[in-house]
Amino acid sequence: MPRVVPDQKSKFENEEFFRKLSRECEAFVATGTNLSLQFFPASWQGEPRQTPSREYVDLEREAGKVYLKAPMILNGVCVIWKGWIDLQRLDGMGCLEFDEERAQQEDALAQQAFEEARRRTREFEDRDRSHREEMESHQSPVARQKSRRLEMAQDAVDDLGVFNVWLSSKHSTAPASAAFMAVGTDCSPPPTH
């Protein structure tokens, strides 16, 4: 299951949820949305948990404030939360931005997963076909001949369609013989001798 939606940028630009959070506002309070920011979780890019750099947690930019930047996937869209928090009042401002670089990486991962699923499906179908062919080759010649006749009969029925058999009755002016008519074709009764 892909972690992102197919057209992330469009979703970010058009959904009310993202439009509201992309405007700078009071951090978490005004929007009613609470986010738990976790910088570089252990599973991200397969690396052990690390201490975030100044790019992500900046305590030196302005005295009494911490500036934060946190990449995440929110509702299937790669975003970066950017903002600041006043260390005395514990309030601040922040907003979401679309993370184009990470979106491209996630799109590539989703495409790889899709291609892998297609490859595995093709392999399964090939194995299934080989198995059926092997089973057919192990049939006795009589069973193969019966199977082939059954296939030919089914093909003939499929090709000709549904048949109606009309038997002439004793009140008919036509001779008392069976007339066959394929649906959708113009067939005359068989000639009489």
Side-chain angles (χ1 to χ4, degrees), residues 2-192:
R3 297 172 356 150
V4 294
V5 296
D7 191 1
Q8 296 179 62
K9 187 165 187 130
S10 175
K11 183 172 181 171
F12 182 80
E13 292 171 347
N14 295 316
E15 280 194 9
E16 179 62 28
F17 174 76
F18 286 109
R19 284 199 312 258
K20 184 167 67 169
L21 293 177
S22 65
R23 293 185 295 268
E24 189 171 55
C25 59
E26 288 186 56
F28 312 119
V29 177
T31 64
T33 303
N34 293 312
L35 300 175
S36 174
L37 303 180
Q38 184 175 10
F39 301 94
F40 304 108
S43 63
W44 195 50
Q45 296 181 348
E47 300 170 354
R49 191 179 301 265
Q50 55 186 328
T51 304
S53 68
R54 186 172 175 197
E55 177 186 4
Y56 296 97
V57 179
D58 187 354
L59 293 163
E60 298 172 9
R61 182 190 271 179
E62 190 175 335
K65 290 184 180 177
V66 60
Y67 283 82
L68 303 169
K69 177 180 171 183
M72 67 183 88
I73 297 174
L74 182 62
N75 292 355
V77 179
C78 292
V79 295
I80 299 174
W81 184 87
K82 288 184 177 182
W84 58 267
I85 296 176
D86 184 297
L87 297 174
Q88 295 299 316
R89 296 189 323 251
L90 295 180
D91 66 357
M93 301 287 281
C95 66
L96 290 179
E97 294 179 1
F98 182 67
D99 189 347
E100 184 75 43
E101 183 180 334
R102 181 109 184 263
Q104 290 175 359
Q105 292 171 354
E106 289 292 334
D107 285 342
L109 289 172
Q111 183 64 31
Q112 287 173 351
F114 177 73
E115 293 298 327
E116 176 67 15
R118 283 176 62 185
R119 183 189 62 76
R120 290 174 61 196
T121 300
R122 279 193 306 269
E123 285 178 0
F124 173 79
E125 289 169 349
D126 290 345
R127 281 194 311 269
D128 185 51
R129 188 179 317 105
S130 296
H131 177 71
R132 274 189 274 115
E133 289 170 356
E134 184 178 328
M135 294 303 290
E136 288 173 2
S137 71
H138 291 309
Q139 287 180 339
S140 69
V142 173
R144 268 196 302 257
Q145 187 176 15
K146 284 182 182 178
S147 177
R148 182 66 190 134
R149 283 183 187 158
L150 182 61
E151 287 175 14
M152 290 172 59
Q154 185 63 47
D155 289 345
V157 169
D158 290 344
D159 290 343
L160 296 176
V162 178
F163 287 92
N164 288 324
V165 177
W166 290 344
L167 297 173
S168 56
S169 67
K170 58 183 173 179
H171 299 291
S172 173
T173 57
S177 63
F180 295 88
M181 179 174 209
V183 174
T185 62
D186 183 25
C187 297
S188 305
T192 57

